[in-house]
C-alpha cells in the first residue's frame, strides 16, 4: 500500500468516526427528551447517560 493511500484511508476513517459521534450524540439527545420517552426505564437511562 502506498503512503498516499494510507493517508487517504486514515482520512476516511477519521471522517467516519466523526460521523458516528454525531449520530450517537443525536440519538442520545433524542432518547433523553422527556416528551417522547417516559417512565422508569427512561429515567434510569437518562441518569446513566448523564454520568457518561
Amino acid at each position: 500500500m502506498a503512503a498516499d493511500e494510507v493517508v487517504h484511508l486514515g482520512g476516511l476513517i477519521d471522517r467516519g468516526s466523526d460521523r458516528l459521534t454525531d449520530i450517537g450524540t443525536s440519538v442520545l439527545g433524542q432518547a433523553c427528551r422527556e416528551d417522547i420517552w417516559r417512565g422508569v426505564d427512561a429515567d434510569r437511562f437518562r441518569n446513566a447517560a448523564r454520568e457518561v
Side-chain angles (χ1 to χ4, degrees):
M1 185 178 282
D4 60 330
E5 291 173 334
V6 173
V7 170
H8 177 71
L9 181 59
L12 291 174
I13 292 170
D14 194 39
R15 285 188 297 279
S17 171
D18 291 343
R19 179 72 178 125
L20 288 173
T21 299
D22 291 345
I23 291 169
T25 301
S26 176
V27 169
L28 180 61
Q30 291 296 318
C32 287
R33 287 181 47 196
E34 293 182 21
D35 61 326
I36 61 173
W37 186 21
R38 297 181 183 132
V40 176
D41 289 336
D43 293 338
R44 285 186 194 139
F45 178 84
R46 284 186 201 97
N47 289 334
R50 287 183 191 110
E51 294 177 11
V52 174

